[in-house]
Amino acid sequence: MTTKSLRTAMAEGQMLAGTFLKTPHHVIIEVLAHAGLDFICLDAEHAPFDRSGTDACIAVARALGVPILIRVPSASPSDILNALDLGATGIVVPHVDSVEKARAIAKAARFGHGGRGYAGSTRWAGYATRKMPELLAQSQEETIVIAQIEEPEGVDAAADIAAIEGIDGLFVGPADLSVAYGKTDTTSPELQEAMTQVGAACAAHGKTYMTWVPTTAQAQDWRRFGFSMFFVASEHAWMLSGARQTAEGIHALD
């Protein structure tokens, strides 16, 4: 997978696997580049990514040809611009609960009147080595904008959000949505109904449908809702799982 081909693979409905990166260090990118993942998403919403750490991670990812998404801290145009100028393949925007917010993030991520500010001197632009027409075409081919549906209001507006040009996919946040429904786990009928409703909206408008899962077994179970793109666990979860399994195995030796 490359930065340019990820958007195509999403549109084609290919099964895609990635993960959230919680550790703001470029070496983790180098390690995960060998794993065969289709993308890595820096979690700048819930992990301590500052501008410097994000910059280093994206630099290594682009050098290795690894598609990098950033879950931005907010839907603000400045957070979106910062992520894309540093070289992110795309953005995941949390708490998109209205059509107005979805339109705003789609506009902020795309070039045009009132949209993404143009600068030819960024990493994404090749540090002033490339021409404007080429860069504008690259943005159309490469840039991915994903809206996270994490509130009941977002579920209700899902069909209209999915219809917006410039929104490439909808991401159901199972934990936040469950909490919003007053639940303490992700097994409720309300969550399942919401997943069905958002999936139908994505299918109707040809948008990629995605979610977070802790394991591939959960991904297999939730395929029935129409998901084709999975953010699986995180490097923290994988480290803990591997270390715990090893420790338990050693402790069980005679």
Side-chain angles (χ1 to χ4, degrees), residues 174 178 183-192 218 221-222 224:
S178 294
K183 309 301 179 182
T184 58
D185 59 44
T186 58
T187 63
S188 71
E190 289 88 345
L191 177 63
Q192 294 186 35
Q218 184 72 78
D221 181 36
W222 281 2
R224 58 196 164 98

Side-chain angles (χ1 to χ4, degrees), residues 11-134:
E12 292 175 350
Q14 295 182 30
M15 293 300 301
L16 300 171
T19 193
F20 279 116
L21 190 75
K22 306 286 189 174
T23 307
H25 201 286
H26 64 277
V27 172
I28 309 297
I29 299 288
E30 290 186 274
V31 174
L32 289 177
H34 296 281
L37 296 170
D38 298 301
F39 64 91
I40 298 170
C41 185
L42 309 185
D43 191 359
E45 181 189 16
H46 293 297
F49 280 91
D50 58 16
R51 191 179 179 94
S52 178
T54 303
D55 183 65
C57 286
I58 294 178
V60 169
R62 290 195 77 90
L64 295 174
V66 177
I68 283 285
L69 305 175
I70 297 183
R71 178 155 68 178
V72 291
S74 75
S76 71
S78 60
D79 280 343
I80 292 171
L81 177 66
N82 180 38
L84 295 176
D85 276 359
L86 289 177
T89 309
I91 53 170
V92 180
V93 183
H95 302 292
V96 180
D97 56 5
S98 70
V99 173
E100 292 74 20
K101 186 177 289 187
R103 287 198 183 107
I105 65 174
K107 187 173 186 178
R110 312 287 179 179
F111 293 113
H113 185 200
R116 177 182 174 185
Y118 182 87
S121 58
T122 64
R123 172 183 295 116
W124 178 84
Y127 296 113
T129 62
R130 303 170 64 202
K131 301 297 185 182
M132 183 182 288
E134 181 184 1

Side-chain angles (χ1 to χ4, degrees), residues 161-245:
I161 292 172
I164 294 171
E165 184 178 356
I167 297 293
D168 298 294
L170 272 57
F171 178 126
V172 163
D176 276 303
L177 196 49
S178 294
V179 170
Y181 285 129
K183 309 301 179 182
T184 58
D185 59 44
T186 58
T187 63
S188 71
E190 289 88 345
L191 177 63
Q192 294 186 35
E193 175 56 33
M195 287 181 167
T196 300
Q197 184 174 335
V198 179
C202 288
H205 295 284
K207 301 301 173 70
T208 305
Y209 192 28
M210 64 199 78
T211 191
W212 176 88
V213 291
T215 64
T216 55
Q218 184 72 78
Q220 176 62 39
D221 181 36
W222 281 2
R223 274 288 290 135
R224 58 196 164 98
F225 297 111
F227 296 113
S228 63
M229 187 171 178
F230 293 96
F231 293 61
V232 186
S234 69
E235 89 286 9
H236 284 180
W238 289 340
M239 285 190 294
L240 282 168
S241 177
R244 185 179 293 116
Q245 183 178 12

Side-chain angles (χ1 to χ4, degrees), residues 62 124 130 134-143:
R62 290 195 77 90
W124 178 84
R130 303 170 64 202
E134 181 184 1
L135 291 171
L136 294 177
Q138 177 179 316
S139 177
Q140 290 295 321
E141 296 169 1
E142 174 185 311
T143 302

